[in-house]
Amino acid sequence: MAGIKDVARRAGVSVGTVSNVINRPASVSPETRGRVRAAIDELGYVRSESARQLRAGSSRILALLVLDMGNPFFVDVARGAERAARKAGLGVMVCNSDQNPSEEADYLALFAEQRVAGVLVTPADPTGRSLEAFGRHSIPFVLVDRVASGAASCAVSVDDVQGGTLAVRHLVAAGHRSIAYVSGPPELRQIQDRRRGALAALAEAGLPADALVEIATHRLDVAAGRDAGARLVGLVPRPTAVFCANDLLALGVLQSLYAAGVKVPQEMAIVGYDDIEFAAAAAVPLTSVRQPAALMGRMAAELLLEESGHIGDGEHLHRNVLLQPELVVRASSVLPR
């Protein structure tokens, strides 16, 4: 592999001049720049990021650790983060904890070893111990889709209590008085907040808390939704509507209802959460609470870049940014006229 000395020999300049062309091109004359660039192209030279990182003490990579890369919601978060990072001249490495606290701890240890410029993370560990340990490395991190409980970091999230309220308020307004809530892992703050919002909507309508029938799942994927849908079909008496903690669960529930011959929305209305691209393309287009996922990723990355000194004037204060959700009504919850 060609090195910087090979480029210098080919261009007839010093190693320092090659370094200036790469890092401070304005300091080199156009004619010399052209010779060095031609030598780089001819030799296929790629500078050693590991050597640069060793000198600088950190990399030009942001790490993004999400709960489930199989969920298109997190793909949109990653896209937003990548746009902000690229604008600042950095890249994004996306990793998947698979909702596993042990995997999260391993990845955070790897990020510390690699001295990444910063970390965007949707925590899988409800105790916060992994992030507490990671914080000792003085690498900045920002919570994504989670509210920060202290002043140790910034966070960008969506008002999930309001999201749950929007979903169940819509179902109550459509005449439903018994509603299932297909939830995910109960230790996740998002799941708790969406349930609180659902209960608030019931109370607002003068309905008792037991009008919400919770069907818990250990995962937030389509398979877990299918299992929850099978349990829902077997309930006696059976609710007439279901609110799902995310769209993947809702799509799985929809599959189970179809397999059991339950008509949607005539016999069972469905509302999901996230408004992923597949929601509108489902066999029955899915009503969903939309989260501004790409905006969330972009804003989180900008806060991280500001804290790490890559953008801004050097002034940084930790803050929680709370975005607002929006209900998108489609055929899964509205009776055809």
Side-chain angles (χ1 to χ4, degrees):
M1 182 179 293
I4 193 169
K5 291 180 180 179
D6 300 311
V7 173
R9 279 195 294 270
R10 177 66 63 91
V13 298
S14 68
V15 169
T17 298
V18 176
S19 178
N20 284 336
V21 169
I22 295 170
N23 298 298
R24 295 173 294 278
S27 66
V28 182
S29 71
E31 188 272 333
T32 301
R33 271 204 315 268
R35 290 209 321 273
V36 171
R37 291 291 182 195
I40 287 173
D41 291 342
E42 290 169 13
L43 296 172
Y45 167 74
V46 178
R47 69 176 175 179
S48 171
E49 174 60 20
S50 59
R52 189 214 65 80
Q53 181 177 328
L54 187 64
R55 292 191 299 272
S58 67
S59 76
R60 293 185 300 120
I61 296 294
L62 299 181
L64 172 61
L65 182 58
V66 301
L67 293 178
D68 180 11
M69 273 308 296
N71 187 340
F73 166 75
F74 288 113
V75 175
D76 289 340
V77 169
R79 284 182 178 138
E82 184 183 32
R83 289 190 193 103
R86 286 179 64 83
K87 189 175 180 181
L90 279 74
V92 176
M93 172 176 59
V94 183
C95 300
N96 178 31
S97 71
D98 200 30
Q99 302 176 38
N100 186 325
S102 177
E103 292 280 341
E104 175 181 281
D106 288 346
Y107 271 121
L108 290 173
L110 175 65
F111 299 157
E113 290 173 6
Q114 296 297 316
R115 302 301 299 172
V116 297
V119 175
L120 302 166
V121 56
T122 302
D125 182 358
T127 69
R129 284 192 290 264
S130 296
L131 280 172
E132 183 181 350
F134 180 75
R136 301 189 189 109
H137 297 288
S138 300
I139 297 174
F141 64 89
V142 173
L143 304 185
V144 182
D145 196 27
R146 190 70 53 84
V147 176
S149 57
S153 69
C154 290
V156 181
S157 60
V158 167
D159 188 343
D160 283 312
V161 175
Q162 175 66 5
T165 299
L166 289 174
V168 173
R169 183 185 289 158
H170 168 68
L171 293 171
V172 169
H176 298 284
R177 296 297 178 264
S178 178
I179 300 168
Y181 174 45
V182 175
S183 63
E187 66 273 11
L188 292 181
R189 176 68 178 269
Q190 299 98 314
I191 303 305
Q192 299 168 13
D193 283 352
R194 291 166 198 179
R195 182 177 183 275
R196 285 171 54 204
L199 291 172
L202 293 177
E204 177 186 275
L207 295 171
D210 61 9
L212 190 73
V213 180
E214 185 164 359
I215 301 175
T217 68
H218 294 295
R219 304 278 302 175
L220 288 162
D221 53 26
V222 174
R226 282 196 297 267
D227 174 69
R231 284 183 278 156
L232 173 60
V233 169
L235 291 179
V236 180
R238 191 167 70 199
T240 60
V242 54
F243 167 43
C244 299
N246 77 0
D247 285 342
L248 296 183
L249 289 172
L251 292 170
V253 168
L254 181 61
Q255 289 177 10
S256 284
L257 294 179
Y258 257 54
V262 178
K263 295 179 180 178
V264 176
Q266 292 88 341
E267 297 175 80
M268 182 75 67
I270 303 179
V271 175
Y273 206 103
D274 291 340
D275 195 33
I276 61 175
E277 184 177 352
F278 299 136
V284 179
L286 188 65
T287 293
S288 185
V289 178
R290 176 179 292 166
Q291 296 199 82
L295 175 62
M296 190 186 305
R298 178 176 65 79
M299 293 184 73
E302 288 172 349
L303 288 172
L304 188 59
L305 291 165
E306 180 186 286
E307 184 176 357
S308 61
H310 289 90
I311 63 173
D313 56 8
E315 294 292 326
H316 178 79
L317 294 174
H318 288 330
R319 52 195 182 273
N320 272 312
V321 177
L322 190 64
L323 303 174
Q324 291 303 307
E326 172 191 0
L327 182 70
V328 181
V329 178
R330 300 191 181 95
S332 71
S333 66
V334 179
L335 288 172
R337 293 181 179 179

